[in-house]
Amino acid sequence: WRVMPEKKMNFNGMPAKRFEWDDPAKIAEWLVKAQKDIVSGYGGNEKVTRALYNEALALKHVAISLTGEPTMYPKLEKLVEEFHRRGMTTFLVTNGTFPERVERWKTFPTQFYVSMVAPNEDVYQKAIRPVSMGLWKNYLRTLELMPVIGKKTRTVLRMTITRGVNDSDLEGYATQIKIAQPHYVEVKSMVFVGGARMEGRGLSLRSMMEIGEVEAIAARLAQMTGYVVSDRHVPSRVVLL
């Protein structure tokens, strides 16, 4: 569920004096219903086979990601449990800024996916512009938790490299990989689509890395960390360690 950048976000309708977090079971119910409503329009399309249509209605996977920081939701562990109870896999993407919540979890998503956005604190402060100076330390604490989390579920570090922004200091990235010890590392270029095209962000087509450049960075990181290059997807400009 992504907020489209071309739509202005308006929070005027949100309660200012009283706020309650939604119940995990209700969120799961709402999301499943909304997805089925979206898919339902294909039921009358003669090009869609009945078997494929029925498969699309039998939801199996949920991505908890894209807009905002999911671990800010204090009942996220219960939400993951709710999806698992429904026989669905869960894919969580976090920026690692709420380690004090994650370290209390007993149930983990099917895949625990952390965004590795900067090689060091200086680049982090300049590129991410966090609301709190302490978030870099929180992120590092999440990396320290990952070796234990990795014994319970699949773990991934994902890099999104932007030319001239966070493409320096590969040693810093390698150090983070060694701390987190994830099962996988995705070395990926940013792609000039969607919100990346918004004015004021200072990005362009030139901000993207060519696949050869991504492969070179991945090879260097592999040498520094002991990981191996196992796959690549050229259209996405991503290499898997």
Side-chain angles (χ1 to χ4, degrees):
W1 295 84
R2 185 192 295 270
V3 176
M4 292 295 102
E6 62 271 18
K7 292 184 179 180
K8 293 183 179 180
M9 300 178 71
N10 186 343
F11 295 103
N12 294 335
M14 294 186 69
K17 295 183 179 180
R18 184 171 178 272
F19 178 83
E20 292 182 4
W21 293 102
D22 285 327
D23 180 72
K26 289 184 177 179
I27 291 177
E29 178 184 342
W30 293 334
L31 290 178
V32 169
K33 181 181 183 303
Q35 181 64 21
K36 287 184 176 180
D37 287 346
I38 292 172
V39 175
S40 66
Y42 291 95
N45 189 325
E46 60 183 17
K47 296 182 180 180
V48 178
T49 66
R50 184 54 47 178
L52 187 60
Y53 177 66
N54 290 335
E55 180 182 324
L57 290 175
L59 307 184
K60 296 181 179 179
H61 313 288
V62 58
I64 307 172
S65 62
L66 299 179
T67 299
E69 171 48 42
T71 56
M72 186 180 294
Y73 176 51
K75 302 178 182 179
L76 183 58
E77 182 186 16
K78 295 296 183 183
L79 180 60
V80 169
E81 290 177 357
E82 184 65 31
F83 284 123
H84 290 182
R85 186 181 66 80
R86 293 166 179 258
M88 302 171 70
T89 70
T90 51
F91 176 93
L92 172 68
V93 180
T94 174
N95 61 22
T97 51
F98 288 86
E100 71 279 5
R101 292 183 175 172
V102 173
E103 66 183 344
R104 294 198 298 264
W105 290 356
K106 292 181 173 58
T107 300
F108 286 89
T110 312
Q111 181 152 301
F112 187 79
Y113 203 91
V114 179
S115 298
M116 184 168 61
V117 296
N120 54 58
E121 185 173 7
D122 182 57
V123 174
Y124 184 84
Q125 298 294 346
K126 291 178 181 178
I128 304 304
R129 291 174 287 180
V131 295
S132 169
M133 296 295 288
L135 292 184
W136 172 252
K137 293 182 179 179
N138 288 4
Y139 164 73
L140 292 181
R141 175 56 184 155
T142 297
L143 296 187
E144 292 170 353
L145 295 174
M146 287 182 70
V148 174
I149 296 174
K151 296 178 181 179
K152 303 174 182 179
T153 194
R154 186 167 56 240
T155 56
V156 186
L157 282 181
R158 189 270 303 274
M159 304 169 66
T160 301
I161 309 171
T162 305
R163 190 188 309 280
V165 177
N166 63 348
D167 57 339
S168 60
D169 186 17
L170 290 188
E171 290 80 6
Y173 285 120
T175 297
Q176 294 175 47
I177 294 170
K178 292 175 182 178
I179 292 173
Q181 301 174 34
H183 295 105
Y184 303 100
V185 180
E186 290 184 9
V187 185
K188 186 181 186 303
S189 169
M190 67 81 65
V191 181
F192 192 58
V193 297
R197 294 174 179 256
M198 292 176 65
E199 292 186 17
R201 293 202 171 177
L203 301 174
S204 67
L205 283 170
R206 180 62 183 162
S207 302
M208 294 194 295
M209 294 280 185
E210 299 292 340
I211 185 61
E213 295 174 290
V214 177
E215 290 175 331
I217 292 173
R220 288 180 60 191
L221 286 173
Q223 290 177 342
M224 288 187 278
T225 61
Y227 281 71
V228 295
V229 175
S230 63
D231 207 350
R232 57 183 51 75
H233 189 257
V234 175
S236 299
R237 306 184 187 218
V238 61
V239 175
L240 182 69
L241 302 182

